Amino acid sequence: MRRQARLEKSLTLPKEVHEIRVLAKKLRAYLQLFRGTFPERCVSLEEKRIKQIARNLSRARDEDICRQVLRWLAAKENKESRRKWLQATLVPFPEPAATDLDKRMLAQARKGIEARRLRLLALIGKHSAKEGKLEELLQKEYGKSRRAMGEAVHEGSPEAFHQWRKRVKRLGYQIEVFCTPSRKGLARLERKFLRLGRLLGKLQDLHVLKGWIESQANSPARKLVPLLDGWMARYRKEAEREGRRCFRMSKGKFLSLLE
């Protein structure tokens, strides 16, 4: 956990924004894993502080997501006319060096997330957790993630898939804690969750870009919406297929991987 919950140094601005937000998700996942071991008041307070750090950087992260997805689409596109639409759509999103993100806000976020990391490690050192209890909580999280998949597939809405993605990411971060050398089966499953998380992440990124385009009145970029819908349908199918591979075992079988 110490190794996984560490912020790298000398990152580019967009990379640092992304890494801080990833670390925020990891710390929240760890807090949920230790719920019942730590005082509930500590868990609630730390979660609130971590969520605020991530929220302060959400706009900068969304802008970078839109820029990355547009470039990715341009690289995939064969039609010259669509490539021009994609290039025109990139104009509102400046390069990282020209971003208007407040550097003091970023420095404050970096300082805040490091404080939250140290606080979590201090809580772990102070409150000893029984491994059996942690395994039980992880098994429940597996069940919740599997139910979230069923809801996403049934509803088919971007919001349902986003909620499933959050569950998968949380479960993946928690499984990392248990991936010791003797648990090879769990390590293989964790790699599957990483792939599933990437598929669901790409689906969410496309949805973020589509939302931005639809918020622009009379924008030529609206011509890209059918293209985005096509890619979203493709990633939904891939995520569903990968999800069935990840969640085909029962909760009892999943628990046996922790032994």
Side-chain angles (χ1 to χ4, degrees):
M1 190 178 292
R2 286 181 182 275
R3 185 175 65 254
Q4 295 294 339
R6 184 180 292 122
L7 189 64
E8 295 181 26
K9 298 180 179 179
S10 303
L11 297 170
T12 62
L13 189 146
K15 183 68 173 176
E16 185 163 12
V17 169
H18 173 65
E19 289 298 318
I20 290 175
R21 285 174 57 82
V22 168
L23 183 51
K25 293 173 186 177
K26 282 189 176 185
L27 295 181
R28 290 184 64 196
Y30 298 155
L31 281 171
Q32 288 299 318
L33 182 62
F34 284 91
R35 188 177 288 276
T37 300
F38 301 158
E40 183 59 33
R41 183 175 176 277
C42 288
V43 174
S44 298
L45 182 59
E46 289 303 302
E47 273 205 313
K48 182 178 179 181
R49 289 170 172 170
I50 293 168
K51 286 174 69 175
Q52 186 58 49
I53 292 170
R55 190 179 296 118
N56 289 341
L57 300 176
S58 60
R59 179 181 174 184
R61 177 60 183 155
D62 285 352
E63 289 179 353
D64 191 53
I65 285 173
C66 289
R67 181 170 47 244
Q68 289 180 22
V69 174
L70 285 167
R71 285 177 174 167
W72 176 78
L73 288 171
K76 294 283 187 180
E77 186 53 58
N78 293 322
K79 285 188 176 182
E80 178 66 22
S81 58
R82 282 183 176 173
R83 279 202 300 272
K84 289 182 178 179
W85 293 341
L86 290 162
Q87 291 167 359
T89 308
L90 267 169
V91 172
F93 303 106
E95 291 300 313
T99 185
D100 59 355
L101 177 66
D102 188 336
K103 302 301 188 300
R104 290 173 299 179
M105 180 184 292
L106 182 59
Q108 186 177 15
R110 186 191 308 115
K111 182 178 179 180
I113 204 67
E114 176 63 13
R116 305 280 58 82
R117 182 182 76 87
L118 294 176
R119 174 59 174 157
L120 173 64
L121 294 175
L123 285 169
I124 292 172
K126 183 178 180 181
H127 302 277
S128 58
K130 294 181 179 180
E131 186 171 347
K133 179 65 175 177
L134 297 182
E135 291 174 348
E136 180 184 339
L137 289 171
L138 187 61
Q139 182 190 32
K140 289 181 178 179
E141 192 64 45
Y142 175 82
K144 291 176 182 178
S145 298
R146 190 166 60 174
R147 286 195 297 273
M149 179 185 71
E151 292 170 1
V153 173
H154 176 71
E155 293 182 24
S157 66
E159 179 57 30
F161 272 86
H162 183 45
Q163 293 301 319
W164 180 27
R165 173 183 176 246
K166 290 196 289 187
R167 282 289 182 189
V168 168
K169 298 287 281 187
R170 173 180 292 182
L171 179 61
Y173 294 145
Q174 292 175 348
I175 285 177
E176 284 179 338
V177 179
F178 289 83
C179 283
T180 58
S182 62
R183 291 166 171 158
K184 295 180 180 179
L186 188 65
R188 286 193 295 269
L189 181 61
E190 193 263 342
R191 288 193 290 272
K192 290 181 181 179
F193 278 120
L194 281 177
R195 172 170 165 74
L196 176 58
R198 286 194 292 268
L199 291 171
L200 291 170
K202 180 63 75 174
L203 179 59
Q204 176 62 15
D205 291 350
L206 289 162
H207 180 60
V208 168
L209 176 58
K210 181 181 177 181
W212 179 86
I213 289 175
E214 291 181 334
S215 70
Q216 308 300 305
N218 302 318
S219 171
R222 285 178 174 268
K223 297 178 182 179
L224 295 173
V225 169
L227 176 65
L228 295 176
D229 286 338
W231 278 105
M232 289 171 69
R234 175 177 174 177
Y235 275 99
R236 270 197 301 270
K237 289 181 180 179
E238 290 190 29
E240 289 174 17
R241 185 163 53 247
E242 189 66 26
R244 285 191 288 271
R245 295 192 187 104
C246 291
F247 293 103
R248 62 187 174 189
M249 68 177 67
S250 66
K251 289 199 297 183
K253 177 65 174 177
F254 172 77
L255 186 61
S256 69
L257 295 179
L258 305 176
E259 296 175 352

